Amino acid sequence: MACRPPYKSPLTGPILRRTFHTSPPLSARPAASQLAHQHANIPPYPHGISHWYKQSNFGLYGASRPQSGNTVSSRTETKNRRKWFPNIHSQRLWSDALDRFVRVKVQARVMRTIDKVGGLDEYLLGEKAGRVRELGMGGWALRWRLMRTEKVRERFRVQRVAMGLPEEGYEEVLNGEGGVVTEGEAVDREKAIDRILDKEAKRDDAGVELGNLDAAHMGEVMKEGARSTI
């Protein structure tokens, strides 16, 4: 098979041809480092990291994971080992609290649950223990981001007033008093993330990939947050 001759530039001479593509470059940051950046300033997830199915830490997988079994022939009853993988899709979901579209990897069963409960915000803010377990690391980070918005704060404030609960304890936990994160650091980080999301929205039709935000742009987010604190 004959090789394609190199392209000869009138300025620099022969140049070897190479194939280019428009796909975004993959981040070389390992999954553990990505999670460390994503969850640096939020309370720890009570159920921890999924070490066995690591990609479920960056989306709404509903606690699902690959399952193994056998396919049995109806004629000879021969068994062959196989695997069943979760039905994962990349979807743009609207968040009323964030007032923007959020692109996340979500399982089909979780999509039905989101439609049933009334939207992404209602799914993420679910209070039952089973819902918190379904969120995973990615859903937990997005849940904390929703809880810091003014819309969700006002919603919780009305609920606390109706139940006769005090205001002080909730605000201390939300603002990070006790070593989680200071109010100034949280506000600066949110502003930096908002600037990155606005840039991504213009390029991707108001959509943002939840996992890629921390994989490809967390360095820029941290730089923006550092500049805003100076």
Side-chain angles (χ1 to χ4, degrees):
M1 179 178 179
C3 297
R4 181 184 300 179
Y7 170 72
K8 186 175 182 180
S9 173
L11 300 178
T12 60
I15 298 177
L16 295 178
R17 296 180 181 271
R18 76 179 277 196
T19 304
F20 293 90
H21 56 82
T22 59
S23 302
L26 298 178
S27 174
R29 191 191 305 274
S33 180
Q34 295 181 29
L35 291 175
H37 282 292
Q38 184 177 0
H39 295 261
N41 296 326
I42 66 176
Y45 180 53
H47 300 287
I49 302 175
S50 176
H51 296 282
W52 193 79
Y53 193 39
K54 295 183 179 180
Q55 65 175 281
S56 63
N57 294 317
F58 301 97
L60 301 178
Y61 282 59
S64 63
R65 60 181 186 178
Q67 298 181 2
S68 59
N70 299 315
T71 55
V72 183
S73 173
S74 60
R75 185 169 62 90
T76 62
E77 296 187 358
T78 302
K79 295 182 179 180
N80 295 313
R81 297 294 295 177
R82 62 155 296 177
K83 282 188 176 182
W84 289 268
F85 292 92
N87 188 11
I88 306 299
H89 301 272
S90 179
Q91 296 288 339
R92 292 173 64 243
L93 304 177
W94 175 258
S95 172
D96 292 331
L98 297 177
D99 195 24
R100 67 173 73 247
F101 282 100
V102 180
R103 185 177 294 276
V104 296
K105 293 181 179 180
V106 57
Q107 197 213 21
R109 177 173 56 84
V110 176
M111 276 297 304
R112 292 194 296 269
T113 305
I114 292 175
D115 294 338
K116 179 180 179 180
V117 300
L120 178 64
D121 295 351
E122 298 298 329
Y123 175 80
L124 294 173
L125 298 175
E127 301 176 354
K128 293 185 178 181
R131 177 63 53 76
V132 176
R133 182 180 293 274
E134 286 184 4
L135 292 179
M137 296 289 287
W140 181 258
L142 189 55
R143 174 192 174 102
W144 179 251
R145 175 131 178 89
L146 293 181
M147 293 179 65
R148 295 196 58 84
T149 59
E150 291 298 330
K151 292 182 179 179
V152 177
R153 284 194 180 196
E154 179 62 21
R155 170 182 170 179
F156 287 167
R157 188 192 67 80
V158 172
Q159 293 179 357
R160 290 194 303 273
V161 171
M163 299 175 63
L165 299 177
E167 296 281 340
E168 293 78 7
Y170 172 79
E171 292 297 332
E172 290 179 0
V173 173
L174 190 63
N175 293 335
E177 297 184 10
V180 178
V181 59
T182 63
E183 179 69 16
E185 292 176 353
V187 172
D188 294 337
R189 182 180 177 86
E190 287 182 4
K191 291 181 179 179
I193 293 178
D194 286 337
R195 286 192 289 269
I196 300 301
L197 290 178
D198 291 337
K199 294 179 182 178
E200 291 293 330
K202 295 178 182 179
R203 186 174 62 183
D204 192 25
D205 191 21
V208 59
E209 182 75 31
L210 177 63
N212 290 345
L213 172 64
D214 297 287
H217 303 290
M218 187 53 66
E220 186 175 352
V221 170
M222 300 304 292
K223 291 179 182 179
E224 291 288 342
R227 294 195 196 101
S228 59
T229 56
I230 297 177

